[in-house]
Amino acid sequence: MPASVSTTHLLSSPRSSRSLRKLQSAHALSSNYAALSTPSLISQQRQQQRNTSSSQSPGPSQIPPLPSQQSHHRTRSNSDAIVASYSNGGALPVRRNAVPKKAPVTLTPKDELETLVRQGPRGDVPAGLQRLRHLILCDGLDADNDGMSHLRIYVWLILLNTPPLSTDTYLDLIRRGPSPAYSKIRNDTFRTLATNPLFKRRVSEASLIRLLNAVAWRLHDAKVERMSESGKMINASSDLGSPELQHASPVVKHTQHPPTVTTEGSEAGGAEPGIYVQGMNVLCAPFLYAARSEAEAFVAFHRFITRECPGYVRGAMDGVHKGLLLVDKCLAIGEPKLAMYLRSKGMTAEIYAFASVLTMCACTPPLPEVLQLWDFLFSYGAHLNILCICAQLLMMKDTLMASPSPTKLLRSFPPLQAKTIIELTLNWVRKIPADVYEELVHHAE
């Protein structure tokens, strides 16, 4: 009884039911193993076909290709392709990471110009200067709306071949006090670009007076030195009794007394250089406006008037008058019709172009355009200012020809357009004969 009760209890429990089902499933699988291992009808038909085809023993060329095990294939990429033979004995090639080549650094014209100014040319100085001039002509200096450029004064110093100057040298000239031309300087400085707000905001009259007074002292010292050397030549010729030396030059011939210096530079006569002439204040203004210090403006301005246009600052201003004659001559060559019309009205360059010749067009606003025009003049020669004046007349041609009284129109030139003037000037150069161009080059000496 206890055994039967325990058996009945086990059969009636859920755990015993699950154990029983597992035993039945295992028994069913083991009893049907033979049936499961028997091939299906389809398998038997395929096996029969294989036996039939193998009994016929077909040749190698008649063996059909084995069917692919997959119905869809991924297209092989070029990187996965297997190369049949390799130069290194059939081994797979070793892939190496290719080192990318650095592209050559291409500088923009602005960057190239700045690099050229800061670092200088690499080896060939004349070629570097030619490249600098070309960059200025084609692209110009980078400047703001007021015409201010951090490179301009340094470019001018390079183009003028200005030697370095110690600031102490400029300060020593200032400490000497008023120069012999001080009164004339004071009479002119307050009128310098009086209607130009850009100049008045940046440059004070005191700065202009100091610079002009220092230049006057420098020219005065050079004049005294030249006259002292002339006096020594006279004394030497008297001691030696040489008639050749006595008649060698007008200075030796006419100077019989110790050298004297005129107190007003503009009153010095003839070919003798003065120390100040009216108009130098306007000619000096762009240098002070573009420079970062008075010392920079001083050395650039002094170099310009003593090397590029010394004839403009002589007492008689002979270089200016030669330039005015060349304006009439070049205008007649390039625009004969306009030149004849102005001459018929009694208008010559002596009447309308004196200030433009003397100041290198600095008397005509706006000042930023003046600076851009001066970049061109310093690059290719201040003598081209004569053709720049002719270019301005050409721009006014239609208005002048239509006016019965062009005198009123030429009292003041229209605002400068530096880019257009430069283009017209370059075209005008091609029309000038070689002998006339030679006069242009040397007229301001």
Side-chain angles (χ1 to χ4, degrees), residues 340-402:
M340 290 179 61
Y341 180 75
L342 292 178
R343 188 174 292 276
S344 68
K345 298 295 182 178
M347 295 294 295
T348 62
E350 289 276 356
I351 298 174
Y352 61 81
F354 186 89
S356 296
V357 172
L358 174 61
T359 65
M360 300 286 171
C361 295
C363 59
T364 306
L367 188 54
E369 296 293 320
V370 173
L371 301 178
Q372 188 176 350
L373 184 63
W374 278 27
D375 295 339
F376 167 70
L377 293 178
F378 292 168
S379 297
Y380 293 95
H383 60 279
L384 293 177
N385 178 57
I386 302 300
L387 299 183
C388 290
I389 296 172
C390 294
Q392 293 178 73
L393 294 173
L394 178 60
M395 295 170 65
M396 302 169 61
K397 179 180 178 180
D398 295 339
T399 306
L400 292 173
M401 298 288 289

Short mmCIF file of all heavy atoms in Angstrom, two decimals, residues 340-402:
data_model
loop_
_atom_site.label_atom_id
_atom_site.label_comp_id
_atom_site.label_asym_id
_atom_site.label_seq_id
_atom_site.Cartn_x
_atom_site.Cartn_y
_atom_site.Cartn_z
N MET A 340 45.46 122.41 -79.59
CA MET A 340 45.20 123.59 -80.44
C MET A 340 44.04 124.41 -79.91
O MET A 340 44.06 125.65 -79.95
CB MET A 340 44.93 123.13 -81.87
CG MET A 340 46.14 122.57 -82.60
SD MET A 340 45.76 122.01 -84.27
CE MET A 340 45.20 123.54 -85.01
N TYR A 341 43.01 123.74 -79.40
CA TYR A 341 41.86 124.47 -78.88
C TYR A 341 42.24 125.29 -77.65
O TYR A 341 41.87 126.46 -77.52
CB TYR A 341 40.73 123.49 -78.53
CG TYR A 341 39.51 124.16 -77.97
CD1 TYR A 341 38.64 124.86 -78.79
CD2 TYR A 341 39.22 124.12 -76.61
CE1 TYR A 341 37.51 125.49 -78.29
CE2 TYR A 341 38.11 124.74 -76.08
CZ TYR A 341 37.26 125.42 -76.93
OH TYR A 341 36.15 126.06 -76.42
N LEU A 342 43.01 124.70 -76.74
CA LEU A 342 43.43 125.43 -75.54
C LEU A 342 44.35 126.59 -75.91
O LEU A 342 44.26 127.68 -75.33
CB LEU A 342 44.13 124.49 -74.56
CG LEU A 342 43.26 123.41 -73.91
CD1 LEU A 342 44.10 122.51 -73.01
CD2 LEU A 342 42.13 124.04 -73.11
N ARG A 343 45.22 126.37 -76.87
CA ARG A 343 46.11 127.45 -77.28
C ARG A 343 45.34 128.59 -77.94
O ARG A 343 45.69 129.77 -77.78
CB ARG A 343 47.18 126.91 -78.24
CG ARG A 343 48.28 127.89 -78.56
CD ARG A 343 49.37 127.21 -79.40
NE ARG A 343 50.09 126.22 -78.61
CZ ARG A 343 51.10 126.51 -77.80
NH1 ARG A 343 51.52 127.77 -77.67
NH2 ARG A 343 51.69 125.56 -77.13
N SER A 344 44.28 128.24 -78.68
CA SER A 344 43.47 129.28 -79.31
C SER A 344 42.75 130.14 -78.27
O SER A 344 42.39 131.29 -78.55
CB SER A 344 42.45 128.65 -80.26
OG SER A 344 41.48 127.90 -79.54
N LYS A 345 42.53 129.60 -77.10
CA LYS A 345 41.91 130.34 -76.01
C LYS A 345 42.94 131.00 -75.10
O LYS A 345 42.58 131.58 -74.07
CB LYS A 345 41.04 129.40 -75.17
CG LYS A 345 39.89 128.75 -75.94
CD LYS A 345 38.89 129.78 -76.41
CE LYS A 345 37.73 129.12 -77.14
NZ LYS A 345 36.70 130.11 -77.58
N GLY A 346 44.22 130.93 -75.50
CA GLY A 346 45.27 131.53 -74.70
C GLY A 346 45.61 130.76 -73.45
O GLY A 346 46.21 131.31 -72.51
N MET A 347 45.29 129.47 -73.42
CA MET A 347 45.53 128.64 -72.26
C MET A 347 46.79 127.80 -72.46
O MET A 347 46.83 126.91 -73.32
CB MET A 347 44.33 127.71 -72.00
CG MET A 347 43.05 128.45 -71.64
SD MET A 347 43.19 129.31 -70.06
CE MET A 347 43.37 127.93 -68.96
N THR A 348 47.81 128.11 -71.72
CA THR A 348 49.03 127.31 -71.72
C THR A 348 49.20 126.69 -70.33
O THR A 348 48.54 127.08 -69.36
CB THR A 348 50.25 128.17 -72.05
OG1 THR A 348 50.40 129.18 -71.05
CG2 THR A 348 50.10 128.80 -73.43
N ALA A 349 50.10 125.74 -70.24
CA ALA A 349 50.32 125.05 -68.98
C ALA A 349 50.82 125.99 -67.89
O ALA A 349 50.59 125.75 -66.70
CB ALA A 349 51.31 123.91 -69.18
N GLU A 350 51.50 127.09 -68.26
CA GLU A 350 51.95 128.06 -67.27
C GLU A 350 50.78 128.65 -66.48
O GLU A 350 50.93 129.05 -65.33
CB GLU A 350 52.72 129.19 -67.96
CG GLU A 350 54.08 128.80 -68.50
CD GLU A 350 55.16 128.87 -67.43
OE1 GLU A 350 54.85 129.30 -66.30
OE2 GLU A 350 56.31 128.49 -67.73
N ILE A 351 49.61 128.67 -67.09
CA ILE A 351 48.45 129.28 -66.45
C ILE A 351 47.70 128.29 -65.56
O ILE A 351 47.32 128.61 -64.44
CB ILE A 351 47.49 129.85 -67.53
CG1 ILE A 351 48.21 130.94 -68.34
CG2 ILE A 351 46.21 130.37 -66.91
CD1 ILE A 351 47.41 131.46 -69.51
N TYR A 352 47.50 127.05 -66.05
CA TYR A 352 46.60 126.14 -65.33
C TYR A 352 47.31 124.96 -64.65
O TYR A 352 46.69 124.25 -63.85
CB TYR A 352 45.54 125.58 -66.29
CG TYR A 352 46.06 124.79 -67.45
CD1 TYR A 352 46.43 123.46 -67.32
CD2 TYR A 352 46.20 125.38 -68.71
CE1 TYR A 352 46.90 122.73 -68.39
CE2 TYR A 352 46.68 124.66 -69.79
CZ TYR A 352 47.03 123.34 -69.62
OH TYR A 352 47.51 122.62 -70.69
N ALA A 353 48.58 124.69 -64.96
CA ALA A 353 49.21 123.47 -64.47
C ALA A 353 50.40 123.71 -63.55
O ALA A 353 51.10 122.76 -63.20
CB ALA A 353 49.66 122.60 -65.65
N PHE A 354 50.64 124.96 -63.13
CA PHE A 354 51.82 125.24 -62.31
C PHE A 354 51.78 124.47 -60.99
O PHE A 354 52.76 123.82 -60.60
CB PHE A 354 51.93 126.74 -62.04
CG PHE A 354 53.19 127.14 -61.34
CD1 PHE A 354 54.33 127.46 -62.04
CD2 PHE A 354 53.25 127.20 -59.95
CE1 PHE A 354 55.50 127.82 -61.40
CE2 PHE A 354 54.40 127.54 -59.29
CZ PHE A 354 55.55 127.86 -60.02
N ALA A 355 50.66 124.53 -60.28
CA ALA A 355 50.56 123.85 -58.99
C ALA A 355 50.65 122.33 -59.14
O ALA A 355 51.27 121.65 -58.32
CB ALA A 355 49.27 124.24 -58.29
N SER A 356 50.05 121.80 -60.20
CA SER A 356 50.08 120.35 -60.40
C SER A 356 51.48 119.85 -60.70
O SER A 356 51.87 118.76 -60.25
CB SER A 356 49.13 119.97 -61.54
OG SER A 356 47.79 120.27 -61.21
N VAL A 357 52.27 120.63 -61.44
CA VAL A 357 53.65 120.23 -61.72
C VAL A 357 54.50 120.33 -60.46
O VAL A 357 55.25 119.41 -60.13
CB VAL A 357 54.23 121.10 -62.85
CG1 VAL A 357 55.72 120.82 -63.03
CG2 VAL A 357 53.50 120.84 -64.16
N LEU A 358 54.39 121.45 -59.74
CA LEU A 358 55.23 121.67 -58.56
C LEU A 358 54.98 120.65 -57.46
O LEU A 358 55.91 120.15 -56.83
CB LEU A 358 54.99 123.08 -58.04
CG LEU A 358 55.68 123.45 -56.72
CD1 LEU A 358 57.19 123.34 -56.85
CD2 LEU A 358 55.26 124.83 -56.26
N THR A 359 53.72 120.30 -57.24
CA THR A 359 53.36 119.43 -56.10
C THR A 359 53.13 117.98 -56.50
O THR A 359 52.66 117.19 -55.67
CB THR A 359 52.09 119.97 -55.42
OG1 THR A 359 50.99 119.87 -56.34
CG2 THR A 359 52.27 121.41 -54.99
N MET A 360 53.44 117.60 -57.72
CA MET A 360 53.20 116.22 -58.17
C MET A 360 51.73 115.83 -58.01
O MET A 360 51.41 114.73 -57.56
CB MET A 360 54.10 115.24 -57.40
CG MET A 360 55.57 115.48 -57.56
SD MET A 360 56.16 114.95 -59.17
CE MET A 360 57.83 115.62 -59.14
N CYS A 361 50.86 116.75 -58.35
CA CYS A 361 49.40 116.56 -58.29
C CYS A 361 48.87 116.43 -56.86
O CYS A 361 47.70 116.07 -56.67
CB CYS A 361 48.96 115.34 -59.09
SG CYS A 361 49.26 115.50 -60.87
N ALA A 362 49.69 116.72 -55.84
CA ALA A 362 49.22 116.61 -54.46
C ALA A 362 48.23 117.72 -54.12
O ALA A 362 47.53 117.61 -53.10
CB ALA A 362 50.40 116.68 -53.50
N CYS A 363 48.14 118.76 -54.94
CA CYS A 363 47.21 119.85 -54.67
C CYS A 363 45.78 119.50 -55.06
O CYS A 363 44.84 120.23 -54.73
CB CYS A 363 47.65 121.11 -55.43
SG CYS A 363 47.75 120.88 -57.22
N THR A 364 45.59 118.37 -55.75
CA THR A 364 44.26 117.97 -56.20
C THR A 364 43.75 116.84 -55.33
O THR A 364 44.40 115.79 -55.23
CB THR A 364 44.31 117.50 -57.67
OG1 THR A 364 44.91 118.53 -58.48
CG2 THR A 364 42.92 117.21 -58.19
N PRO A 365 42.61 117.04 -54.66
CA PRO A 365 42.07 115.96 -53.82
C PRO A 365 41.44 114.87 -54.68
O PRO A 365 41.26 115.06 -55.90
CB PRO A 365 41.01 116.70 -52.98
CG PRO A 365 40.59 117.85 -53.84
CD PRO A 365 41.80 118.25 -54.64
N PRO A 366 41.10 113.72 -54.06
CA PRO A 366 41.25 113.36 -52.64
C PRO A 366 42.64 112.81 -52.34
O PRO A 366 43.33 112.29 -53.22
CB PRO A 366 40.18 112.29 -52.45
CG PRO A 366 40.04 111.65 -53.80
CD PRO A 366 40.29 112.73 -54.79
N LEU A 367 43.02 112.90 -51.08
CA LEU A 367 44.36 112.51 -50.67
C LEU A 367 44.66 111.02 -50.87
O LEU A 367 45.77 110.67 -51.28
CB LEU A 367 44.59 112.92 -49.21
CG LEU A 367 46.01 112.77 -48.67
CD1 LEU A 367 47.02 113.48 -49.55
CD2 LEU A 367 46.10 113.28 -47.24
N PRO A 368 43.72 110.10 -50.60
CA PRO A 368 44.02 108.68 -50.87
C PRO A 368 44.37 108.41 -52.33
O PRO A 368 45.23 107.56 -52.62
CB PRO A 368 42.73 107.96 -50.46
CG PRO A 368 42.13 108.85 -49.41
CD PRO A 368 42.43 110.23 -49.87
N GLU A 369 43.75 109.14 -53.26
CA GLU A 369 44.08 108.97 -54.67
C GLU A 369 45.47 109.53 -54.97
O GLU A 369 46.19 109.00 -55.83
CB GLU A 369 43.02 109.65 -55.55
CG GLU A 369 41.64 109.06 -55.43
CD GLU A 369 41.56 107.64 -55.97
OE1 GLU A 369 42.17 107.37 -57.03
OE2 GLU A 369 40.89 106.80 -55.35
N VAL A 370 45.84 110.59 -54.28
CA VAL A 370 47.19 111.14 -54.44
C VAL A 370 48.23 110.11 -54.03
O VAL A 370 49.25 109.90 -54.72
CB VAL A 370 47.35 112.44 -53.62
CG1 VAL A 370 48.81 112.92 -53.65
CG2 VAL A 370 46.43 113.53 -54.15
N LEU A 371 48.00 109.46 -52.90
CA LEU A 371 48.94 108.45 -52.42
C LEU A 371 49.07 107.30 -53.42
O LEU A 371 50.18 106.80 -53.67
CB LEU A 371 48.49 107.92 -51.06
CG LEU A 371 48.36 108.95 -49.94
CD1 LEU A 371 47.86 108.28 -48.67
CD2 LEU A 371 49.68 109.65 -49.68
N GLN A 372 47.96 106.88 -53.98
CA GLN A 372 48.00 105.79 -54.97
C GLN A 372 48.74 106.23 -56.22
O GLN A 372 49.50 105.45 -56.82
CB GLN A 372 46.57 105.36 -55.31
CG GLN A 372 46.50 104.12 -56.18
CD GLN A 372 45.06 103.67 -56.41
OE1 GLN A 372 44.13 104.16 -55.78
NE2 GLN A 372 44.89 102.73 -57.32
N LEU A 373 48.55 107.47 -56.64
CA LEU A 373 49.27 107.98 -57.80
C LEU A 373 50.76 108.09 -57.52
O LEU A 373 51.59 107.78 -58.39
CB LEU A 373 48.70 109.36 -58.19
CG LEU A 373 49.28 110.00 -59.45
CD1 LEU A 373 48.98 109.14 -60.67
CD2 LEU A 373 48.73 111.41 -59.64
N TRP A 374 51.11 108.47 -56.30
CA TRP A 374 52.53 108.56 -55.94
C TRP A 374 53.19 107.18 -55.88
O TRP A 374 54.39 107.07 -56.14
CB TRP A 374 52.68 109.30 -54.61
CG TRP A 374 52.64 110.79 -54.75
CD1 TRP A 374 52.00 111.50 -55.72
CD2 TRP A 374 53.26 111.75 -53.90
NE1 TRP A 374 52.18 112.84 -55.52
CE2 TRP A 374 52.95 113.03 -54.41
CE3 TRP A 374 54.03 111.66 -52.75
CZ2 TRP A 374 53.38 114.21 -53.81
CZ3 TRP A 374 54.47 112.83 -52.16
CH2 TRP A 374 54.17 114.08 -52.68
N ASP A 375 52.45 106.15 -55.51
CA ASP A 375 52.99 104.79 -55.58
C ASP A 375 53.50 104.50 -56.99
O ASP A 375 54.58 103.93 -57.18
CB ASP A 375 51.93 103.77 -55.19
CG ASP A 375 51.51 103.89 -53.74
OD1 ASP A 375 52.27 104.46 -52.94
OD2 ASP A 375 50.41 103.40 -53.40
N PHE A 376 52.72 104.91 -57.96
CA PHE A 376 53.10 104.71 -59.37
C PHE A 376 54.29 105.58 -59.76
O PHE A 376 55.23 105.12 -60.42
CB PHE A 376 51.89 105.00 -60.25
CG PHE A 376 52.20 105.14 -61.72
CD1 PHE A 376 52.56 104.04 -62.47
CD2 PHE A 376 52.13 106.38 -62.33
CE1 PHE A 376 52.85 104.17 -63.83
CE2 PHE A 376 52.42 106.52 -63.68
CZ PHE A 376 52.78 105.41 -64.43
N LEU A 377 54.27 106.85 -59.34
CA LEU A 377 55.35 107.77 -59.72
C LEU A 377 56.68 107.35 -59.10
O LEU A 377 57.73 107.42 -59.75
CB LEU A 377 54.99 109.20 -59.29
CG LEU A 377 53.81 109.85 -60.01
CD1 LEU A 377 53.55 111.24 -59.45
CD2 LEU A 377 54.04 109.92 -61.51
N PHE A 378 56.66 106.92 -57.86
CA PHE A 378 57.90 106.49 -57.22
C PHE A 378 58.40 105.18 -57.82
O PHE A 378 59.60 104.90 -57.78
CB PHE A 378 57.70 106.33 -55.72
CG PHE A 378 57.47 107.63 -55.00
CD1 PHE A 378 57.04 107.64 -53.69
CD2 PHE A 378 57.69 108.85 -55.62
CE1 PHE A 378 56.83 108.83 -53.01
CE2 PHE A 378 57.49 110.04 -54.97
CZ PHE A 378 57.06 110.04 -53.66
N SER A 379 57.49 104.38 -58.36
CA SER A 379 57.90 103.10 -58.96
C SER A 379 58.57 103.30 -60.32
O SER A 379 59.58 102.65 -60.62
CB SER A 379 56.69 102.18 -59.11
OG SER A 379 56.13 101.86 -57.85
N TYR A 380 58.01 104.18 -61.13
CA TYR A 380 58.48 104.30 -62.51
C TYR A 380 59.05 105.67 -62.85
O TYR A 380 59.41 105.91 -64.00
CB TYR A 380 57.34 103.95 -63.48
CG TYR A 380 56.96 102.50 -63.39
CD1 TYR A 380 55.90 102.09 -62.58
CD2 TYR A 380 57.66 101.53 -64.09
CE1 TYR A 380 55.56 100.75 -62.48
CE2 TYR A 380 57.32 100.19 -64.00
CZ TYR A 380 56.28 99.81 -63.20
OH TYR A 380 55.94 98.48 -63.10
N GLY A 381 59.12 106.58 -61.90
CA GLY A 381 59.78 107.85 -62.14
C GLY A 381 58.85 109.03 -61.95
O GLY A 381 57.73 109.05 -62.50
N ALA A 382 59.32 110.02 -61.18
CA ALA A 382 58.50 111.21 -60.93
C ALA A 382 58.30 112.04 -62.19
O ALA A 382 57.38 112.87 -62.25
CB ALA A 382 59.16 112.07 -59.84
N HIS A 383 59.13 111.83 -63.22
CA HIS A 383 58.97 112.59 -64.47
C HIS A 383 57.64 112.28 -65.16
O HIS A 383 57.15 113.08 -65.96
CB HIS A 383 60.13 112.27 -65.42
CG HIS A 383 60.22 110.82 -65.79
ND1 HIS A 383 60.82 109.88 -64.98
CD2 HIS A 383 59.77 110.15 -66.88
CE1 HIS A 383 60.75 108.70 -65.57
NE2 HIS A 383 60.11 108.83 -66.72
N LEU A 384 57.04 111.11 -64.84
CA LEU A 384 55.76 110.74 -65.45
C LEU A 384 54.61 111.60 -64.94
O LEU A 384 53.49 111.51 -65.47
CB LEU A 384 55.47 109.26 -65.20
CG LEU A 384 56.39 108.27 -65.91
CD1 LEU A 384 56.06 106.85 -65.51
CD2 LEU A 384 56.30 108.43 -67.42
N ASN A 385 54.87 112.44 -63.94
CA ASN A 385 53.83 113.35 -63.47
C ASN A 385 53.38 114.28 -64.59
O ASN A 385 52.20 114.70 -64.63
CB ASN A 385 54.34 114.16 -62.28
CG ASN A 385 53.33 115.16 -61.78
OD1 ASN A 385 52.21 114.79 -61.42
ND2 ASN A 385 53.70 116.43 -61.76
N ILE A 386 54.27 114.63 -65.50
CA ILE A 386 53.90 115.50 -66.63
C ILE A 386 52.82 114.83 -67.47
O ILE A 386 51.83 115.46 -67.87
CB ILE A 386 55.14 115.81 -67.49
CG1 ILE A 386 56.23 116.47 -66.64
CG2 ILE A 386 54.78 116.68 -68.68
CD1 ILE A 386 55.83 117.79 -66.02
N LEU A 387 52.98 113.55 -67.72
CA LEU A 387 51.98 112.82 -68.51
C LEU A 387 50.71 112.57 -67.71
O LEU A 387 49.62 112.46 -68.29
CB LEU A 387 52.57 111.49 -69.00
CG LEU A 387 53.79 111.60 -69.91
CD1 LEU A 387 54.23 110.22 -70.38
CD2 LEU A 387 53.50 112.50 -71.11
N CYS A 388 50.83 112.49 -66.39
CA CYS A 388 49.63 112.35 -65.56
C CYS A 388 48.76 113.60 -65.67
O CYS A 388 47.52 113.52 -65.66
CB CYS A 388 50.01 112.10 -64.11
SG CYS A 388 50.73 110.47 -63.80
N ILE A 389 49.38 114.77 -65.78
CA ILE A 389 48.62 116.01 -65.97
C ILE A 389 47.94 116.01 -67.33
O ILE A 389 46.78 116.40 -67.46
CB ILE A 389 49.56 117.22 -65.81
CG1 ILE A 389 50.12 117.27 -64.39
CG2 ILE A 389 48.83 118.52 -66.14
CD1 ILE A 389 51.20 118.30 -64.18
N CYS A 390 48.65 115.55 -68.34
CA CYS A 390 48.04 115.42 -69.67
C CYS A 390 46.86 114.45 -69.65
O CYS A 390 45.84 114.68 -70.31
CB CYS A 390 49.09 114.96 -70.68
SG CYS A 390 50.42 116.14 -70.99
N ALA A 391 46.99 113.38 -68.88
CA ALA A 391 45.90 112.41 -68.77
C ALA A 391 44.67 113.05 -68.13
O ALA A 391 43.53 112.76 -68.53
CB ALA A 391 46.36 111.21 -67.98
N GLN A 392 44.87 113.91 -67.14
CA GLN A 392 43.73 114.59 -66.52
C GLN A 392 43.04 115.52 -67.52
O GLN A 392 41.81 115.64 -67.52
CB GLN A 392 44.21 115.39 -65.31
CG GLN A 392 44.71 114.52 -64.17
CD GLN A 392 45.23 115.33 -63.01
OE1 GLN A 392 44.48 115.95 -62.27
NE2 GLN A 392 46.56 115.34 -62.85
N LEU A 393 43.84 116.18 -68.36
CA LEU A 393 43.24 117.03 -69.40
C LEU A 393 42.44 116.20 -70.40
O LEU A 393 41.38 116.62 -70.87
CB LEU A 393 44.33 117.82 -70.12
CG LEU A 393 45.08 118.85 -69.27
CD1 LEU A 393 46.25 119.42 -70.06
CD2 LEU A 393 44.15 119.97 -68.83
N LEU A 394 42.95 115.02 -70.71
CA LEU A 394 42.24 114.14 -71.63
C LEU A 394 40.90 113.70 -71.04
O LEU A 394 39.90 113.60 -71.77
CB LEU A 394 43.11 112.92 -71.95
CG LEU A 394 42.49 111.87 -72.87
CD1 LEU A 394 42.14 112.47 -74.23
CD2 LEU A 394 43.44 110.69 -73.05
N MET A 395 40.86 113.46 -69.75
CA MET A 395 39.61 113.07 -69.11
C MET A 395 38.59 114.21 -69.14
O MET A 395 37.38 113.97 -69.07
CB MET A 395 39.88 112.65 -67.66
CG MET A 395 40.74 111.39 -67.54
SD MET A 395 41.31 111.07 -65.85
CE MET A 395 39.75 110.77 -65.01
N MET A 396 39.07 115.44 -69.25
CA MET A 396 38.19 116.61 -69.31
C MET A 396 37.94 117.07 -70.74
O MET A 396 37.33 118.14 -70.96
CB MET A 396 38.80 117.76 -68.51
CG MET A 396 39.09 117.46 -67.06
SD MET A 396 40.10 118.76 -66.29
CE MET A 396 39.02 120.19 -66.48
N LYS A 397 38.41 116.32 -71.72
CA LYS A 397 38.42 116.79 -73.10
C LYS A 397 37.05 117.23 -73.59
O LYS A 397 36.89 118.34 -74.13
CB LYS A 397 38.97 115.69 -74.01
CG LYS A 397 38.99 116.07 -75.48
CD LYS A 397 39.56 114.95 -76.33
CE LYS A 397 39.53 115.35 -77.81
NZ LYS A 397 40.09 114.27 -78.68
N ASP A 398 36.04 116.40 -73.43
CA ASP A 398 34.71 116.73 -73.96
C ASP A 398 34.17 118.00 -73.30
O ASP A 398 33.58 118.85 -73.98
CB ASP A 398 33.76 115.56 -73.72
CG ASP A 398 34.16 114.33 -74.51
OD1 ASP A 398 34.90 114.48 -75.51
OD2 ASP A 398 33.77 113.22 -74.12
N THR A 399 34.37 118.12 -72.00
CA THR A 399 33.87 119.31 -71.30
C THR A 399 34.63 120.55 -71.74
O THR A 399 34.02 121.63 -71.94
CB THR A 399 34.02 119.13 -69.78
OG1 THR A 399 33.38 117.91 -69.40
CG2 THR A 399 33.37 120.28 -69.03
N LEU A 400 35.93 120.43 -71.90
CA LEU A 400 36.74 121.59 -72.32
C LEU A 400 36.40 122.02 -73.73
O LEU A 400 36.27 123.22 -74.02
CB LEU A 400 38.23 121.25 -72.22
CG LEU A 400 38.79 121.05 -70.81
CD1 LEU A 400 40.24 120.54 -70.88
CD2 LEU A 400 38.74 122.35 -70.02
N MET A 401 36.25 121.06 -74.63
CA MET A 401 35.94 121.40 -76.03
C MET A 401 34.56 122.01 -76.18
O MET A 401 34.32 122.81 -77.10
CB MET A 401 36.05 120.14 -76.90
CG MET A 401 37.43 119.52 -76.94
SD MET A 401 38.63 120.45 -77.88
CE MET A 401 38.05 120.19 -79.54
N ALA A 402 33.66 121.66 -75.29
CA ALA A 402 32.30 122.20 -75.37
C ALA A 402 32.16 123.54 -74.66
O ALA A 402 31.13 124.21 -74.80
CB ALA A 402 31.31 121.20 -74.78
#
